[in-house]
Amino acid sequence: MNTEMQHCPYTVMNIPGNTAVTSGTDVSVFERQQARMKWQQQQQQQESLFKGNDHQFRGLVEVKPDPGLQYGWPDFSDGCQGQGIPSLMEDHNLKKRKTHEDQKQKVVLKENSVKEKKIKGCSEENSAETSSKEKPKAVEGPKQEYIHVRARRGQATDSHSLAERVRREKISERMKYLQDLVPGCNKITGKAGMLDEIINYVQSLQKQVEFLSMKLATLQPRLDFDIDSLIMKEMFEVPAVAYSAEVANSAYFQVNSLLEMGNNPIDAMLRRSIGGPVSIPETFVVSSCFNQMQPGVTWDGDLHNLYRMEIQQDSSTIPFQPHKFTGLYEVSNLKMEL
Amino acid sequence: MSPPQQPTSINPNSLKIQLAYRFLHNLNNLNTKRSNLDNTRIRRSHRVKLAAYASMAYVVGSRRAWSRAILWKIRNRAVLARFKRVDHKITTPLRHHHVHAGSVKRRTPSCSNPKREYSDPFGNSGQEVKLRKLVPGSSTMDALGLLDETADYIKCLATQVEVMKNLVDLYSII
């Protein structure tokens, strides 16, 4: 060891942080020293640049992302307080742009009163150590779970108040969406009034469901009583497009389809109408059920088709007069529209 | 057109169609089930109502907390009834169920950000509590989640009401 030291006039100890120098010519060692000095200066510069960042990043509070991300709203999270950033930083391209559309940047970049909030994963920034020369666009690319918030001019830059503001804006966004959903509340502006309207609407919808279910429950077994009388009526009737008998016929048809097909009314209707597999045309019939009635549909040909299919079924003695039944006579139209 | 596969909440037509299909399916099943001998109107209407909610929740699936809550409530009706009679206290289901029914003991909302105030975020006294009672499965959510759930619940409920209205019209032609 001593011999080595004696040989090299420029020893390792002069250069901090360098333990790799062993031997060599004077010139090469000197060159290496100089290179190392330059490198260290650069490192120190970079360190001073990133010092502020590191403090911020290490003090991060990681918050869980908003679980209610359904409408594509970006996630907001609480951020840590911004440290005193040297003026170098502000000129630097490490500033992150916001993703929230509402918050416009009224801040002048060199204004010291504005602090930035950089909310980013530690790993990403550490890898950007060497990219001080690069534009930190890579940082903005993977916006995973955090959003970058910038304080507005003249507003509090406390992390809590910023987070509060973000949260309030999210709430107001969702209130606006609810305003579109709930009919008739365009004039109401306050949150309290909106909430009242929403509560009333939900309550009214639930009551409607209850009322309609009661109505449906009463309607369903009522068919039991009518079927006998209707059957008697239809036995002796010729299938004709007689308007007087239409209602009775349609009613009978519906009743029959609802009951005789083993409590599978929709399937029965579908089978009669299309005669194919049930799964596919079900949607058509159902959707046609909920379309409006289209008057003036020329469906004589369709009627014949349907009647023919009707005959092919088991219960073929039933006269088929689905005039008022909105579902069936639109099925053939739907078949064309396919 | 393909048969309905996954419900797309963006397209209201497909939601309506799937709701209608599912609701009719449930209604048909209702009539053929074992306990339908008692044809009192109240029980029947109650069953129809259950079918409506069940179909609504089924179409939405488990993407939403309210649908999960409804499904869990319906599927465990018998168990819940038994517990109600015996214990007067109902514990939460198995841990892997991310479901909280309305009658289940409330989990403390400390899982989310503890800084938030669940009792009074809007500054209004009883409204949020009322809303939580109305929307199923919303007891363990913060205000934002609650608004989300409410919006989705309103949308599905409105579609379900429309489907039922059309059905009633259909049936009442007779």
Side-chain angles (χ1 to χ4, degrees):
Chain A
M1 279 290 288
N2 288 333
T3 55
E4 274 186 358
M5 299 269 276
Q6 283 169 4
H7 280 306
C8 311
Y10 307 97
T11 60
V12 178
M13 296 187 272
N14 286 340
I15 302 164
N18 192 343
T19 59
V21 178
T22 52
S23 65
T25 62
D26 292 347
V27 175
S28 64
V29 168
F30 183 64
E31 279 176 357
R32 255 179 271 148
Q33 273 185 2
Q34 280 192 335
R36 259 174 252 124
M37 292 297 285
K38 282 180 196 164
W39 180 80
Q40 277 180 2
Q41 280 172 9
Q42 284 177 6
Q43 277 297 98
Q44 280 169 3
Q45 270 183 3
Q46 284 181 2
E47 273 176 28
S48 67
L49 284 180
F50 286 91
K51 208 178 183 185
N53 270 350
D54 282 343
H55 283 308
Q56 291 175 13
F57 297 135
R58 282 182 202 133
L60 263 186
V61 175
E62 278 199 309
V63 178
K64 239 177 42 167
D66 192 356
L69 249 198
Q70 291 289 333
Y71 306 113
W73 283 318
D75 264 315
F76 294 91
S77 68
D78 290 334
C80 57
Q81 192 165 3
Q83 303 257 331
I85 306 168
S87 59
L88 265 172
M89 286 299 300
E90 287 178 352
D91 291 335
H92 208 272
N93 275 328
L94 278 174
K95 289 191 179 97
K96 325 267 186 302
R97 277 173 244 140
K98 263 183 310 183
T99 61
H100 196 273
E101 54 194 8
D102 287 345
Q103 298 178 3
K104 276 308 174 187
Q105 303 177 9
K106 303 174 186 175
V107 177
V108 180
L109 282 179
K110 294 194 180 166
E111 194 174 352
N112 286 334
S113 63
V114 173
K115 294 196 179 117
E116 292 177 352
K117 297 188 60 174
K118 298 188 177 70
I119 309 166
K120 214 43 180 109
C122 282
S123 58
E124 287 191 6
E125 268 313 303
N126 289 337
S127 67
E129 267 177 19
T130 56
S131 66
S132 66
K133 297 161 195 165
E134 307 170 359
K135 311 283 180 185
K137 277 173 197 161
V139 163
E140 297 174 353
K143 290 184 189 109
Q144 305 155 352
E145 304 167 345
Y146 301 99
I147 218 166
H148 314 297
V149 174
R150 180 163 289 188
R152 286 191 221 183
R153 187 191 175 118
Q155 288 195 354
T157 55
D158 193 23
S159 72
H160 294 295
S161 55
L162 271 170
E164 269 297 311
R165 193 156 53 84
V166 157
R167 196 175 139 260
R168 260 180 275 134
E169 282 171 4
K170 271 168 103 177
I171 286 182
S172 65
E173 247 187 270
R174 290 172 197 203
M175 296 292 283
K176 272 187 223 153
Y177 181 71
L178 277 167
Q179 217 173 13
D180 293 332
L181 274 184
V182 178
C185 60
N186 304 320
K187 303 161 191 169
I188 301 172
T189 46
K191 256 192 283 191
M194 266 310 298
L195 271 182
D196 275 335
E197 278 299 314
I198 290 170
I199 288 174
N200 286 338
Y201 189 57
V202 171
Q203 274 172 343
S204 80
L205 279 178
Q206 285 179 340
K207 281 193 194 129
Q208 268 181 340
V209 167
E210 203 171 327
F211 175 69
L212 284 171
S213 71
M214 203 150 46
K215 234 178 158 183
L216 270 179
T218 43
L219 280 177
Q220 267 187 329
R222 194 157 57 101
L223 309 167
D224 284 326
F225 309 127
D226 290 331
I227 177 101
D228 290 334
S229 55
L230 286 170
I231 286 179
M232 297 306 290
K233 250 202 253 179
E234 297 306 312
M235 279 299 220
F236 307 107
E237 205 151 347
V238 181
V241 192
Y243 191 82
S244 58
E246 261 175 358
V247 177
N249 288 339
S250 63
Y252 173 73
F253 172 75
Q254 287 181 38
V255 162
N256 181 68
S257 62
L258 283 166
L259 292 175
E260 282 194 12
M261 294 315 236
N263 286 331
N264 273 328
I266 300 305
D267 297 344
M269 287 183 231
L270 288 166
R271 259 180 255 122
R272 282 153 185 266
S273 56
I274 295 181
V278 172
S279 59
I280 299 171
E282 244 166 351
T283 57
F284 310 141
V285 171
V286 165
S287 63
S288 66
C289 286
F290 308 121
N291 291 337
Q292 312 235 333
M293 280 182 68
Q294 297 169 17
V297 170
T298 59
W299 51 286
D300 292 331
D302 301 335
L303 174 63
H304 288 311
N305 288 336
L306 291 168
Y307 189 58
R308 252 181 269 124
M309 278 192 277
E310 168 70 17
I311 287 178
Q312 292 164 14
Q313 298 294 327
D314 294 337
S315 53
S316 58
T317 57
I318 302 157
F320 180 70
Q321 304 280 350
H323 177 75
K324 265 195 132 182
F325 182 49
T326 62
L328 283 175
Y329 75 81
E330 281 180 328
V331 162
S332 43
N333 292 337
L334 282 173
K335 254 171 43 175
M336 312 302 182
E337 287 162 11
L338 274 187
Chain B
M1 282 214 275
S2 62
Q5 288 151 359
Q6 274 301 323
T8 56
S9 45
I10 308 168
N11 183 3
N13 282 329
S14 85
L15 176 66
K16 194 157 64 156
I17 289 171
Q18 285 162 39
L19 260 182
Y21 172 60
R22 188 72 211 169
F23 182 49
L24 289 167
H25 184 74
N26 281 349
L27 273 185
N28 290 332
N29 289 342
L30 264 188
N31 295 331
T32 58
K33 275 222 162 137
R34 25 106 193 156
S35 62
N36 290 350
L37 297 175
D38 51 346
N39 268 341
T40 54
R41 217 176 61 181
I42 301 169
R43 302 247 176 100
R44 233 181 11 241
S45 68
H46 183 66
R47 277 201 295 270
V48 173
K49 189 171 78 162
L50 271 182
Y53 278 113
S55 65
M56 208 168 66
Y58 189 83
V59 166
V60 170
S62 44
R63 294 176 302 148
R64 282 282 174 185
W66 64 263
S67 68
R68 291 194 292 264
I70 289 180
L71 285 173
W72 184 83
K73 241 194 281 190
I74 288 179
R75 282 172 186 162
N76 296 324
R77 259 180 310 164
V79 177
L80 280 177
R82 193 162 25 100
F83 276 151
K84 265 188 195 163
R85 267 182 265 127
V86 172
D87 284 342
H88 299 290
K89 184 180 104 164
I90 300 162
T91 55
T92 56
L94 304 171
R95 284 247 176 109
H96 62 264
H97 279 279
H98 304 291
V99 161
H100 309 280
S103 55
V104 170
K105 186 173 69 172
R106 283 170 76 129
R107 200 199 281 173
T108 56
S110 57
C111 44
S112 309
N113 193 345
K115 287 182 198 166
R116 305 227 177 120
E117 302 166 298
Y118 292 104
S119 57
D120 209 2
F122 296 114
N124 307 318
S125 48
Q127 282 171 331
E128 191 176 323
V129 175
K130 267 195 238 169
L131 198 54
R132 281 181 198 275
K133 281 190 200 151
L134 286 177
V135 178
S138 65
S139 49
T140 57
M141 267 186 263
D142 53 339
L144 286 171
L146 177 67
L147 287 179
D148 259 344
E149 292 290 321
T150 311
D152 199 69
Y153 187 61
I154 284 178
K155 197 165 53 159
C156 283
L157 207 52
T159 322
Q160 177 74 33
V161 163
E162 213 179 317
V163 164
M164 287 175 80
K165 269 191 206 161
N166 286 328
L167 260 184
V168 166
D169 288 341
L170 198 66
Y171 274 143
S172 64
I173 288 176
I174 298 170

